[in-house]
Amino acid sequence: MHELSVTESVLEIACRHAGKAQAKRVTDIYLVIGRLSSIVDDSVQFYWNLISKDTLCENAQLHFRRVPAELVYLDCQHQYQLAEELTPCPKCNSTRIRVLSGDEFHLESIEIERK
Amino acid sequence: MTNKRITIVEKIFDANERLANENRRRFDENHVFAINLMASPGAGKTSLILATIKALLDQKVRIGVIEGDTAPVTIDADKISAAGIPVIQINTGGECHLDAVMVENALNQLPIEDLDLVIVENVGNLICPAAFKLGTHANVLIASVPEGDDKPYKYPNIYRGLEVLIINKTDLLPYLDFDMDYFRQGVEILNPGLETFALSCKTGAGLEDWLLWLKSKLPKK
C-alpha cells in the first residue's frame, strides 16, 4: 500500500495551510475517506506519528470520517450502499451502475492553536 | 491563545494530479501517445511490450519505454534495451506504484521529441497504481487468465479507471476453470463498454487487434 506517500501529502497540505494561518501548532486534522479509496487508517496513523515529528503538526490528532459507497443502477434507478462484492442490480439484474460517492479522499479541515 | 478551525477541502492526490497534467502537456506538445500499462506481477507486461515493439518497429513507429520496478534489478529494462529501444528504468525504492513525479523525471531522460509512443510499465500491483495518475493518455490493464475470473470483483478501483483491458494467456484457457462470462460481467459493472482485447503474447493470437487499436491512436506527425 501507498500510505507513506499519502501521509506525506496530508502533512504537506496541513503544514502549508497552518503556516499561512500563522499557527503555533496544529492540534487536529480531519480527513474524509471514501469506502472505495483503499486507504488504511491504522497505517496512515503509523506513518503520521513518524513523519510529523518536528513539524507544526507534531502530536496533532488525526480524525477519519468514512464515507460509504453509494451506487445507483441506471436502468431502474435503484440506489444502494455497497456492503460487499459488486453484483448486478438485485431488482432488475442490470450491470449499468454509477458511483455516487465513495471515492472521496481529502483533507477537510484542521484545527490550530494561534500564536 | 485561541484555537481556530480552518476549512481546507483539498484532495490528497491534488499535487500528483497537477504534475500528471504537466506530463500530459509534454506528451501532447511532442505529439506522443502514452500508455500506462498496469497488471499484477507475472501477468505479461514485459511480454506484451516486447511483442508490441517487435510488431511496430517494422512499421517505423518510434517507441520509448519507462520501466517501473520496486527493486534495483534491470531484468525487464535489459530485455527492452536489447530490442533497440530507449528505456529509462525507475527504481521506486520499495514503493508500490509509479507517480507523476517519477514519470516526469524519466521523461527528462527520454528523447521524447523523437518518439511516437511511450509505454510506461507500472509496478506489478492491482491496488496502488490505480490511485496515481501519470499523465498518460490511456490506462491499460493486463489481466491474465491464471489469476482467476474474480479479479474485477476484488480489485474494482483499477478496473474503473481503464481505457483498455487486455486479457492475456488465452492459450491457457482450456486448462483453467476461468469463467469468462463471470469475469466480463464484473468488468461490465465497473466500466461499461470497456475496450477489451483477448490475446496470447506467447502464441500471438489476438495481438493484431491490440496493435491496430494502438496504431489508430498514434498522432500523425
Side-chain angles (χ1 to χ4, degrees):
Chain A
M1 283 308 293
H2 47 265
E3 270 74 3
L4 174 56
S5 45
V6 157
T7 312
E8 284 169 343
S9 292
V10 172
L11 182 65
E12 185 273 322
I13 295 170
C15 284
R16 176 157 42 82
H17 285 272
K20 256 194 282 181
Q22 306 201 326
K24 195 172 99 189
R25 70 183 195 96
V26 179
T27 58
D28 297 272
I29 296 195
Y30 295 87
L31 291 162
V32 176
I33 304 182
R35 160 86 158 69
L36 295 173
S37 69
S38 30
I39 299 295
V40 182
D41 305 7
D42 285 352
S43 179
V44 173
Q45 184 71 58
F46 171 78
Y47 286 119
W48 180 256
N49 297 341
L50 293 176
I51 68 172
S52 64
K53 280 214 170 65
D54 302 324
T55 72
L56 279 176
C57 293
E58 182 166 1
N59 295 323
Q61 180 76 39
L62 294 180
H63 304 268
F64 300 94
R65 183 160 69 83
R66 283 270 168 189
V67 180
E70 288 275 355
L71 311 176
V72 61
Y73 282 96
L74 297 174
D75 291 333
C76 69
Q77 301 301 316
H78 174 55
Q79 196 171 324
Y80 85 120
Q81 268 190 21
L82 184 67
E84 286 172 29
E85 172 176 297
L86 279 169
T87 60
C89 178
K91 279 196 170 164
C92 72
N93 209 35
S94 160
T95 56
R96 296 178 58 234
I97 61 164
R98 190 155 59 88
V99 176
L100 298 175
S101 70
D103 283 323
E104 298 79 1
F105 185 33
H106 57 261
L107 181 48
E108 197 167 44
S109 62
I110 57 176
E111 200 149 318
I112 59 167
E113 248 173 39
R114 284 263 176 81
K115 275 178 189 164
Chain B
M1 191 178 69
T2 51
N3 277 21
K4 189 182 176 221
R5 183 86 166 248
I6 302 175
T7 306
I8 294 176
V9 193
E10 189 165 323
K11 280 162 71 185
I12 306 302
F13 292 114
D14 257 5
N16 185 70
E17 280 170 26
R18 275 195 300 273
L19 274 172
N21 291 339
E22 187 58 27
N23 289 344
R24 171 69 70 89
R25 194 184 55 75
R26 279 176 80 178
F27 287 129
D28 288 343
E29 269 177 11
N30 289 286
H31 308 288
V32 169
F33 185 68
I35 65 172
N36 171 22
L37 189 59
M38 303 177 286
S40 14
K45 290 186 294 302
T46 308
S47 300
L48 183 75
I49 292 174
L50 291 171
T52 303
I53 288 171
K54 190 162 173 275
L56 293 187
L57 272 189
D58 291 345
Q59 301 172 38
K60 306 275 182 276
V61 178
R62 299 165 302 171
I63 307 171
V65 174
I66 297 173
E67 180 70 41
D69 267 304
T70 58
V73 288
T74 57
I75 301 167
D76 291 347
D78 289 348
K79 285 183 195 160
I80 292 160
S81 192
I85 293 292
V87 53
I88 303 300
Q89 161 118 3
I90 304 174
N91 173 18
T92 66
E95 275 276 30
C96 45
H97 60 274
L98 294 182
D99 62 27
V101 184
M102 299 180 203
V103 170
E104 183 195 22
N105 290 337
L107 283 182
N108 291 337
Q109 303 168 60
L110 267 184
I112 185 169
E113 59 284 352
D114 297 327
L115 298 175
D116 306 305
L117 171 67
V118 167
I119 303 175
V120 182
E121 179 176 346
N122 217 311
V123 177
N125 182 334
L126 293 182
I127 302 173
C128 312
F132 292 84
K133 292 190 177 135
L134 304 181
T136 50
H137 299 92
N139 283 333
V140 179
L141 177 74
I142 305 177
S144 67
V145 291
E147 295 165 49
D149 50 25
D150 57 355
K151 291 302 167 286
Y153 303 90
K154 288 191 170 169
Y155 302 93
N157 276 358
I158 201 156
Y159 281 86
R160 288 177 60 210
L162 295 182
E163 275 71 37
V164 174
L165 172 66
I166 289 174
I167 304 172
N168 189 24
K169 308 192 188 180
T170 51
D171 52 304
L172 296 177
L173 278 172
Y175 311 102
L176 301 167
D177 296 322
F178 186 93
D179 183 340
M180 191 61 88
D181 289 338
Y182 179 65
F183 176 83
R184 284 187 185 260
Q185 174 190 284
V187 175
E188 189 59 24
I189 293 174
L190 296 162
N191 197 329
L194 177 62
E195 189 93 55
T196 302
F197 303 102
L199 54 81
S200 164
C201 288
K202 189 174 174 67
T203 67
L207 259 176
E208 196 50 40
D209 287 342
W210 152 249
L211 293 169
L212 280 175
W213 179 87
L214 197 51
K215 277 187 287 185
S216 77
K217 296 293 176 187
L218 297 179
K220 305 282 174 287
K221 291 208 175 179

PDB file of all heavy atoms in Angstrom, chain B residues 9-25:
ATOM      1  N   VAL B   9     -10.525  21.448   2.598  1.00  0.00           N
ATOM      2  CA  VAL B   9     -11.083  20.661   1.494  1.00  0.00           C
ATOM      3  C   VAL B   9     -10.126  20.610   0.302  1.00  0.00           C
ATOM      4  O   VAL B   9     -10.367  21.182  -0.747  1.00  0.00           O
ATOM      5  CB  VAL B   9     -12.469  21.182   1.041  1.00  0.00           C
ATOM      6  CG1 VAL B   9     -13.131  20.140   0.126  1.00  0.00           C
ATOM      7  CG2 VAL B   9     -13.374  21.426   2.233  1.00  0.00           C
ATOM      8  N   GLU B  10      -9.006  19.929   0.505  1.00  0.00           N
ATOM      9  CA  GLU B  10      -8.037  19.758  -0.575  1.00  0.00           C
ATOM     10  C   GLU B  10      -7.838  18.266  -0.799  1.00  0.00           C
ATOM     11  O   GLU B  10      -7.624  17.518   0.148  1.00  0.00           O
ATOM     12  CB  GLU B  10      -6.712  20.430  -0.187  1.00  0.00           C
ATOM     13  CG  GLU B  10      -5.726  20.484  -1.326  1.00  0.00           C
ATOM     14  CD  GLU B  10      -4.566  21.460  -1.054  1.00  0.00           C
ATOM     15  OE1 GLU B  10      -4.808  22.529  -0.453  1.00  0.00           O
ATOM     16  OE2 GLU B  10      -3.445  21.136  -1.449  1.00  0.00           O
ATOM     17  N   LYS B  11      -7.946  17.837  -2.048  1.00  0.00           N
ATOM     18  CA  LYS B  11      -7.764  16.420  -2.343  1.00  0.00           C
ATOM     19  C   LYS B  11      -6.327  15.999  -2.076  1.00  0.00           C
ATOM     20  O   LYS B  11      -5.390  16.716  -2.445  1.00  0.00           O
ATOM     21  CB  LYS B  11      -8.113  16.129  -3.811  1.00  0.00           C
ATOM     22  CG  LYS B  11      -9.615  16.022  -4.041  1.00  0.00           C
ATOM     23  CD  LYS B  11      -9.967  16.186  -5.497  1.00  0.00           C
ATOM     24  CE  LYS B  11      -9.541  14.992  -6.329  1.00  0.00           C
ATOM     25  NZ  LYS B  11      -9.779  15.227  -7.778  1.00  0.00           N
ATOM     26  N   ILE B  12      -6.166  14.850  -1.433  1.00  0.00           N
ATOM     27  CA  ILE B  12      -4.822  14.401  -1.074  1.00  0.00           C
ATOM     28  C   ILE B  12      -3.975  14.164  -2.327  1.00  0.00           C
ATOM     29  O   ILE B  12      -2.764  14.303  -2.302  1.00  0.00           O
ATOM     30  CB  ILE B  12      -4.903  13.105  -0.228  1.00  0.00           C
ATOM     31  CG1 ILE B  12      -5.814  13.307   0.981  1.00  0.00           C
ATOM     32  CG2 ILE B  12      -3.525  12.640   0.217  1.00  0.00           C
ATOM     33  CD1 ILE B  12      -5.423  14.412   1.915  1.00  0.00           C
ATOM     34  N   PHE B  13      -4.625  13.807  -3.424  1.00  0.00           N
ATOM     35  CA  PHE B  13      -3.877  13.499  -4.640  1.00  0.00           C
ATOM     36  C   PHE B  13      -3.709  14.712  -5.564  1.00  0.00           C
ATOM     37  O   PHE B  13      -3.248  14.580  -6.683  1.00  0.00           O
ATOM     38  CB  PHE B  13      -4.556  12.357  -5.403  1.00  0.00           C
ATOM     39  CG  PHE B  13      -4.480  11.048  -4.678  1.00  0.00           C
ATOM     40  CD1 PHE B  13      -5.619  10.444  -4.195  1.00  0.00           C
ATOM     41  CD2 PHE B  13      -3.249  10.426  -4.483  1.00  0.00           C
ATOM     42  CE1 PHE B  13      -5.539   9.230  -3.519  1.00  0.00           C
ATOM     43  CE2 PHE B  13      -3.162   9.217  -3.810  1.00  0.00           C
ATOM     44  CZ  PHE B  13      -4.315   8.613  -3.326  1.00  0.00           C
ATOM     45  N   ASP B  14      -4.087  15.900  -5.073  1.00  0.00           N
ATOM     46  CA  ASP B  14      -4.028  17.096  -5.914  1.00  0.00           C
ATOM     47  C   ASP B  14      -2.650  17.368  -6.502  1.00  0.00           C
ATOM     48  O   ASP B  14      -2.519  17.656  -7.690  1.00  0.00           O
ATOM     49  CB  ASP B  14      -4.454  18.337  -5.105  1.00  0.00           C
ATOM     50  CG  ASP B  14      -5.873  18.756  -5.450  1.00  0.00           C
ATOM     51  OD1 ASP B  14      -6.520  18.023  -6.223  1.00  0.00           O
ATOM     52  OD2 ASP B  14      -6.322  19.796  -4.952  1.00  0.00           O
ATOM     53  N   ALA B  15      -1.626  17.283  -5.646  1.00  0.00           N
ATOM     54  CA  ALA B  15      -0.274  17.612  -6.096  1.00  0.00           C
ATOM     55  C   ALA B  15       0.137  16.666  -7.223  1.00  0.00           C
ATOM     56  O   ALA B  15       0.690  17.092  -8.246  1.00  0.00           O
ATOM     57  CB  ALA B  15       0.709  17.522  -4.940  1.00  0.00           C
ATOM     58  N   ASN B  16      -0.161  15.381  -7.032  1.00  0.00           N
ATOM     59  CA  ASN B  16       0.174  14.406  -8.076  1.00  0.00           C
ATOM     60  C   ASN B  16      -0.592  14.699  -9.362  1.00  0.00           C
ATOM     61  O   ASN B  16      -0.063  14.596 -10.459  1.00  0.00           O
ATOM     62  CB  ASN B  16      -0.141  12.995  -7.583  1.00  0.00           C
ATOM     63  CG  ASN B  16       0.301  11.944  -8.584  1.00  0.00           C
ATOM     64  OD1 ASN B  16       1.482  11.726  -8.781  1.00  0.00           O
ATOM     65  ND2 ASN B  16      -0.657  11.331  -9.251  1.00  0.00           N
ATOM     66  N   GLU B  17      -1.845  15.083  -9.210  1.00  0.00           N
ATOM     67  CA  GLU B  17      -2.661  15.308 -10.405  1.00  0.00           C
ATOM     68  C   GLU B  17      -2.212  16.539 -11.185  1.00  0.00           C
ATOM     69  O   GLU B  17      -2.269  16.569 -12.411  1.00  0.00           O
ATOM     70  CB  GLU B  17      -4.148  15.359 -10.029  1.00  0.00           C
ATOM     71  CG  GLU B  17      -4.664  13.944  -9.855  1.00  0.00           C
ATOM     72  CD  GLU B  17      -6.047  13.814  -9.246  1.00  0.00           C
ATOM     73  OE1 GLU B  17      -6.848  14.748  -9.363  1.00  0.00           O
ATOM     74  OE2 GLU B  17      -6.301  12.748  -8.651  1.00  0.00           O
ATOM     75  N   ARG B  18      -1.729  17.553 -10.462  1.00  0.00           N
ATOM     76  CA  ARG B  18      -1.195  18.724 -11.157  1.00  0.00           C
ATOM     77  C   ARG B  18       0.016  18.334 -12.011  1.00  0.00           C
ATOM     78  O   ARG B  18       0.154  18.748 -13.153  1.00  0.00           O
ATOM     79  CB  ARG B  18      -0.803  19.815 -10.148  1.00  0.00           C
ATOM     80  CG  ARG B  18      -1.970  20.712  -9.750  1.00  0.00           C
ATOM     81  CD  ARG B  18      -1.475  21.977  -9.069  1.00  0.00           C
ATOM     82  NE  ARG B  18      -0.718  21.692  -7.861  1.00  0.00           N
ATOM     83  CZ  ARG B  18      -1.280  21.543  -6.665  1.00  0.00           C
ATOM     84  NH1 ARG B  18      -2.582  21.662  -6.517  1.00  0.00           N
ATOM     85  NH2 ARG B  18      -0.543  21.283  -5.607  1.00  0.00           N
ATOM     86  N   LEU B  19       0.904  17.521 -11.414  1.00  0.00           N
ATOM     87  CA  LEU B  19       2.085  17.088 -12.163  1.00  0.00           C
ATOM     88  C   LEU B  19       1.711  16.176 -13.323  1.00  0.00           C
ATOM     89  O   LEU B  19       2.334  16.212 -14.385  1.00  0.00           O
ATOM     90  CB  LEU B  19       3.045  16.347 -11.228  1.00  0.00           C
ATOM     91  CG  LEU B  19       4.001  17.236 -10.470  1.00  0.00           C
ATOM     92  CD1 LEU B  19       4.757  16.424  -9.433  1.00  0.00           C
ATOM     93  CD2 LEU B  19       4.994  17.877 -11.434  1.00  0.00           C
ATOM     94  N   ALA B  20       0.696  15.353 -13.120  1.00  0.00           N
ATOM     95  CA  ALA B  20       0.230  14.472 -14.197  1.00  0.00           C
ATOM     96  C   ALA B  20      -0.255  15.309 -15.375  1.00  0.00           C
ATOM     97  O   ALA B  20       0.043  15.000 -16.530  1.00  0.00           O
ATOM     98  CB  ALA B  20      -0.877  13.552 -13.688  1.00  0.00           C
ATOM     99  N   ASN B  21      -0.960  16.394 -15.091  1.00  0.00           N
ATOM    100  CA  ASN B  21      -1.421  17.287 -16.159  1.00  0.00           C
ATOM    101  C   ASN B  21      -0.241  17.881 -16.921  1.00  0.00           C
ATOM    102  O   ASN B  21      -0.288  18.069 -18.137  1.00  0.00           O
ATOM    103  CB  ASN B  21      -2.288  18.415 -15.589  1.00  0.00           C
ATOM    104  CG  ASN B  21      -3.616  17.893 -15.083  1.00  0.00           C
ATOM    105  OD1 ASN B  21      -4.062  16.815 -15.474  1.00  0.00           O
ATOM    106  ND2 ASN B  21      -4.250  18.648 -14.188  1.00  0.00           N
ATOM    107  N   GLU B  22       0.808  18.182 -16.170  1.00  0.00           N
ATOM    108  CA  GLU B  22       2.025  18.728 -16.778  1.00  0.00           C
ATOM    109  C   GLU B  22       2.672  17.685 -17.705  1.00  0.00           C
ATOM    110  O   GLU B  22       3.086  18.008 -18.831  1.00  0.00           O
ATOM    111  CB  GLU B  22       2.981  19.135 -15.650  1.00  0.00           C
ATOM    112  CG  GLU B  22       4.234  19.863 -16.071  1.00  0.00           C
ATOM    113  CD  GLU B  22       3.938  21.140 -16.842  1.00  0.00           C
ATOM    114  OE1 GLU B  22       2.859  21.754 -16.659  1.00  0.00           O
ATOM    115  OE2 GLU B  22       4.796  21.511 -17.657  1.00  0.00           O
ATOM    116  N   ASN B  23       2.723  16.431 -17.254  1.00  0.00           N
ATOM    117  CA  ASN B  23       3.263  15.360 -18.103  1.00  0.00           C
ATOM    118  C   ASN B  23       2.437  15.219 -19.374  1.00  0.00           C
ATOM    119  O   ASN B  23       2.970  15.049 -20.469  1.00  0.00           O
ATOM    120  CB  ASN B  23       3.270  14.018 -17.350  1.00  0.00           C
ATOM    121  CG  ASN B  23       4.311  13.978 -16.238  1.00  0.00           C
ATOM    122  OD1 ASN B  23       5.222  14.804 -16.206  1.00  0.00           O
ATOM    123  ND2 ASN B  23       4.164  13.021 -15.332  1.00  0.00           N
ATOM    124  N   ARG B  24       1.120  15.293 -19.217  1.00  0.00           N
ATOM    125  CA  ARG B  24       0.224  15.164 -20.376  1.00  0.00           C
ATOM    126  C   ARG B  24       0.520  16.266 -21.395  1.00  0.00           C
ATOM    127  O   ARG B  24       0.556  16.032 -22.597  1.00  0.00           O
ATOM    128  CB  ARG B  24      -1.232  15.233 -19.916  1.00  0.00           C
ATOM    129  CG  ARG B  24      -2.248  15.327 -21.045  1.00  0.00           C
ATOM    130  CD  ARG B  24      -2.327  14.041 -21.849  1.00  0.00           C
ATOM    131  NE  ARG B  24      -2.939  12.979 -21.081  1.00  0.00           N
ATOM    132  CZ  ARG B  24      -4.252  12.737 -21.035  1.00  0.00           C
ATOM    133  NH1 ARG B  24      -5.071  13.466 -21.754  1.00  0.00           N
ATOM    134  NH2 ARG B  24      -4.733  11.761 -20.296  1.00  0.00           N
ATOM    135  N   ARG B  25       0.756  17.464 -20.889  1.00  0.00           N
ATOM    136  CA  ARG B  25       1.044  18.587 -21.779  1.00  0.00           C
ATOM    137  C   ARG B  25       2.316  18.301 -22.594  1.00  0.00           C
ATOM    138  O   ARG B  25       2.384  18.568 -23.796  1.00  0.00           O
ATOM    139  CB  ARG B  25       1.213  19.868 -20.953  1.00  0.00           C
ATOM    140  CG  ARG B  25       1.178  21.160 -21.733  1.00  0.00           C
ATOM    141  CD  ARG B  25       1.458  22.358 -20.843  1.00  0.00           C
ATOM    142  NE  ARG B  25       2.723  22.229 -20.099  1.00  0.00           N
ATOM    143  CZ  ARG B  25       3.929  22.380 -20.632  1.00  0.00           C
ATOM    144  NH1 ARG B  25       4.057  22.667 -21.904  1.00  0.00           N
ATOM    145  NH2 ARG B  25       5.021  22.238 -19.895  1.00  0.00           N
TER     146      ARG B  25
END
